[in-house]
Every structure is written in C-alpha cells, then in structure tokens.
Amino acid sequence: MASTKKVGILGATGTVGQRFILLLAEHPIFSIHALGASARSAGKAYKDAVRWKQARPIPESVAQITVKPCDAELFKDCDVVFSGLDADVAGDIEMAMLKQNIAVFSNAKNYRRDPSVPLIVPTVNSDHFDLIAHQRKLNKLDKGFLITNANCSTTGLVVPLKALQDAFGPMSHIIVNTQQAISGAGYPGVPSLDILDNVVPHIGGEEEKMEFEACKILGDLAPDKQSLVHLPETIVSATCTRVPVLDGHLETVSVKFANGAPSVEQVYEVLEKYTSEAEKMGCHSAPQKPIVVTREADRPQPRLDRENLKGQAVTVGRVRKCPVLDIKFVLLVHNTVLGAAGSSVLNAEIAVFKGLI
Ligand SMILES: NC(=O)C1=CN([C@@H]2O[C@H](COP(=O)(O)OP(=O)(O)OC[C@H]3O[C@@H](n4cnc5c(N)ncnc54)[C@H](OP(=O)(O)O)[C@@H]3O)[C@@H](O)[C@H]2O)C=CC1
Ligand SMILES: N[C@@H](CC(=O)OP(=O)(O)O)C(=O)O
C-alpha cells in the first residue's frame, strides 16, 4: 500500500466539503491534515463553523480541527488539496495552491475549459491523467498539478455514453433533460418558496457546461499527450431543471449513433459489462462496477437508487428505442458523491496508483 498522504480540504464547511469529510475521515491512504473555508469560519473549531447537514455525525477526528483561511502558505505541507470552494473564489485560491507545488483536485467550474487541465470522471477518462506531464512543464512544477472533475449532471451523463461510444462508435446527436436535486445548489441553496410544490426550468450556466464538458471528457488525448481533442462531430443539447429532491440528479437521454442503431438488448449488455481502469487498479473508492443497470419499469429513482454502490456508480434503466434518435434511457447520479467529492477522491486514488502523487 502507498504511504499515507496529507490532505487539505478547501471549502470544507460546504455541501461538497462535508462529503469530502465523510469520504476521507477513515481513508486508507489519505489523512485529513488541514481544513479551509471563508473568513466567516476561519479560527473556529470545525464543529462550530459548519452547518452540518449529513445523516452521519461529524467524525470525531475532524470535529475539533481549527478551520484555516484558504491561504496557500498554510496548506504547503499538504501532498493533496481537495477543493469544494465556491466558484467565485476557487480560481485564485486553487491557482495559488498549484503554485505551492501541491496536487489540486477541484470541483469548481473555473479551470474545466483550460486546455492544459484534464477534466476527469474517474470511471470514464482516467487516461487523460497523461496530460499532467505537459501541464507540469508549462507551470515549471515537479510535484503539483491541477485536475478538475466535471459538473455533476455531466458526470452522470458521460459514464453510460462512454460505454456506448466504446461499443458502438461515435454518437452524432445527444439530447439530455435533467431533473436536479436541490443539494446541487449548495447551502442554503434554492429558497423553499421557489422549490416546494414546483419545478424550476432554469439552472444558470448548467446547459452550456453539459454541452461543452461531455465533448471534452469523451474526446481523446492527442498522440503527443500535450492536448485533448474534443469529440469533433457530436452535438449535445441539454435542458436542465431543478426539482424538489434532496440528493440525486435524474436525467433522460436520447442518442443517435453515427454508424447505425444498436438494439435495446445490445445496449443493456454493453452497459452491464462496462468496466473502468479504476476498479482494475483496485482503488479504494472505485465502485464494483461503474454502471448499475436496472430493468424495472419505474427505476431509477433518486430516493431508491442514489446510494447504489455508495453513490459512486451511475444507475441506468428504461432503455428503449427512440422514435426520433436511436436509443433512449434514464440515468441517476448522486450529485455530491460521484457528481462531486466522490469523483475527486477516486481521481486522487488513481493519481497515487499512477505515481503522480
Ligand atoms: N453541490 C453539488 O452537487 C456540486 C457542487 N460543485 C461545485 O463545488 C463547489 C462547492 O459547492 P457547494 O459545496 O455546493 O457550495 P457551498 O455553498 O455549500 O459551499 C461553499 C464553500 O466555499 C467556502 N467559501 C465561500 N467563500 C469563500 C472565500 N471567500 N474564501 C474561502 N472559502 C470560501 C464556504 O465557506 P464558509 O462556510 O466559511 O462560507 C464553503 O465551505 C462549487 O464550485 C460548486 O459549483 C460541483 C459539482 C456538484
Ligand atoms: N450546478 C450544479 C452544481 C454545480 O455546482 O455545478 P458546477 O460545479 O458545474 O458549477 C447543480 O445545480 O446541481
């Protein structure tokens, strides 16, 4: 087993930060060393700074840690920094951490479009870690690097799409409609008077993120390993809505394949057989398999399926012929586990396995 790595959590008091605490409190190779948040929280014991919203209690090992301001100097003895920072501040703080030669795993949107930053969903494109050598050269770093994970809805979408792309070749058109949980908006998030008894058919910037990020993630690393080639001929159209669910984003997806339609049974088989590098490496947080397939007529459902394989798998069901495109299906992703902190932690485990940390 690799030696223990010291980790810092930025935005440790937030919705994603609290997931990081739960995932890392008893981790076999990562040990929580420092917690960071805003001036509101800095100087307080974690238990007094956080508005804890998880069903499990705050781990005892973390409750008394004093929260620090997110000053890179204060995190320089960390091997790894996980960021659950608000996007308004994540850009500058994460860059300062990178310049301290730290391995930074970000959940924020700020660097996802940067051509030198891999956008990695751990059960989809862990091969994009090979861009790090180039990124380190650009930044004149030997140990540090910056990886982002995807928008939570994008994360759910690309897992089954990767399985289908590997099996049936390029997809020309993808139409996705999301029903996103309120925890996706952080805390305190969407006002109760807006979301109870209601559906809000707009989440600012979300559709553009899905349409861009899916093509970066499903694209290839160039042969010289110095850039990523986005999917050239795939059009993604997203409509994103907010629904009164606590955790778990449900998505309805229709796909057209460039080389002709597979059958429904072929699609089920491919989804059931899909595996990723993360399980083969034996990573601690890797799900037994990246996709849980359900053949029940009324599944997946957020309340019943979001904890499947500890929230690290995407549940896919209702595969049918699409009369407009080729195939349609429904998926469910846990937005704060695989859609956020869980992806970062698994990405970091992969990076350790690859000798990058
Ligand atoms: N929720 C989700 O499902 C997903 C979220 N993300 C992304 O993850 C990030 C975190 O989201 P989420 O946890 O929902 O957000 P929250 O609003 O719940 O938490 C934000 C965190 O940022 C900290 N923060 C705010 N301002 C500052 C500052 N000036 N300096 C230092 N820290 C600051 C807060 O600290 P304090 O408590 O002290 O104010 C808090 O810890 C965002 O970038 C979001 O877009 C990505 C995928 C999914
Ligand atoms: N916008 C997502 C959560 C999120 O913060 O996404 P991103 O990291 O892409 O900004 C949601 O509302 O469910």
Side-chain angles (χ1 to χ4, degrees):
M1 195 202 289
S3 62
T4 306
K5 311 290 176 193
K6 288 183 186 173
V7 309
I9 305 174
L10 310 176
T13 49
T15 307
V16 173
Q18 292 176 32
R19 283 283 170 190
F20 274 125
I21 298 280
L22 290 177
L23 293 171
L24 293 167
E26 286 167 17
H27 196 280
I29 53 172
F30 299 129
S31 122
I32 297 177
H33 182 66
L35 303 178
S38 76
R40 180 191 74 75
S41 308
K44 295 181 187 165
Y46 183 72
K47 69 174 179 36
D48 299 324
V50 71
R51 300 176 186 102
W52 187 256
K53 299 292 168 195
Q54 309 302 313
R56 280 156 58 199
I58 302 176
E60 269 180 41
S61 56
V62 173
Q64 299 297 342
I65 296 179
T66 303
V67 177
K68 300 180 186 196
C70 294
D71 174 347
E73 268 290 310
L74 303 175
F75 286 79
K76 68 180 181 196
D77 56 347
C78 292
D79 301 298
V80 177
V81 153
F82 293 105
S83 168
L85 284 170
D86 191 289
D88 287 349
V89 297
D92 290 346
I93 295 174
E94 290 169 1
M95 187 47 66
M97 299 284 164
L98 175 67
K99 289 194 170 144
Q100 284 288 353
N101 218 1
I102 300 170
V104 181
F105 292 82
S106 169
N107 274 274
K109 64 183 176 188
N110 307 61
Y111 294 106
R112 291 186 194 146
R113 286 177 182 254
D114 186 319
S116 70
V117 176
L119 174 53
I120 298 184
V121 174
T123 52
V124 172
N125 61 328
S126 54
D127 56 315
H128 290 191
F129 269 106
D130 288 353
L131 188 63
I132 290 304
H134 175 64
Q135 190 199 77
R136 279 180 167 160
K137 216 167 165 185
L138 287 178
N139 291 290
K140 299 186 175 60
L141 296 172
D142 56 352
K143 291 194 340 229
F145 60 84
L146 172 64
I147 299 285
T148 63
N149 44 322
N151 165 272
C152 36
S153 294
T154 310
T155 300
L157 177 66
V158 295
V159 177
L161 290 186
K162 170 69 172 163
L164 299 178
Q165 179 179 269
D166 286 353
F168 307 119
M171 296 160 287
S172 59
H173 298 80
I174 297 158
I175 297 179
V176 54
N177 186 306
T178 70
Q179 286 120 69
Q180 300 185 205
I182 53 175
S183 60
Y187 186 81
V190 191
S192 52
L193 276 179
D194 287 343
I195 197 66
L196 287 176
D197 186 31
N198 208 10
V199 173
V200 180
H202 177 249
I203 302 175
E206 198 80 350
E207 294 166 358
E208 295 80 355
K209 281 186 270 183
M210 289 192 78
E211 291 167 5
F212 171 85
E213 292 177 18
C215 294
K216 180 170 177 180
I217 295 162
L218 294 170
D220 287 327
L221 190 64
D224 64 3
K225 299 187 175 175
Q226 299 197 6
S227 61
L228 295 164
V229 184
H230 297 210
L231 286 187
E233 282 153 20
T234 305
I235 303 169
V236 183
S237 172
T239 302
C240 297
T241 72
R242 184 79 66 199
V243 297
V245 162
L246 286 181
D247 288 318
H249 292 353
L250 190 91
E251 305 179 24
T252 57
V253 185
S254 291
V255 181
K256 185 162 185 61
F257 295 88
N259 302 329
S263 70
V264 167
E265 198 45 44
Q266 282 174 316
V267 169
Y268 270 124
E269 272 174 30
V270 159
L271 297 174
E272 272 160 357
K273 287 192 181 141
Y274 180 66
T275 55
S276 78
E277 218 187 358
E279 311 91 73
K280 290 174 202 148
M281 289 171 175
C283 292
H284 171 74
S285 307
Q288 247 167 347
K289 47 189 186 168
I291 300 171
V292 172
V293 173
T294 170
R295 293 184 184 236
E296 289 172 63
D298 60 352
R299 304 282 279 272
Q301 295 180 18
R303 190 148 44 87
L304 303 181
D305 293 304
R306 62 192 165 206
E307 300 295 343
N308 283 346
L309 303 185
K310 297 187 178 163
Q312 292 282 40
V314 175
T315 304
V316 182
R318 302 211 63 226
V319 179
R320 292 102 74 214
K321 282 262 171 226
C322 173
V324 178
L325 303 185
D326 287 333
I327 286 287
K328 56 184 174 178
F329 56 88
V330 180
L331 71 85
L332 183 83
V333 58
H334 195 307
N335 54 299
T336 64
V337 185
L338 187 68
S343 268
S344 276
V345 172
L346 185 48
N347 275 338
E349 292 168 8
I350 293 170
V352 170
F353 189 92
K354 287 179 181 268
L356 291 164
I357 298 172

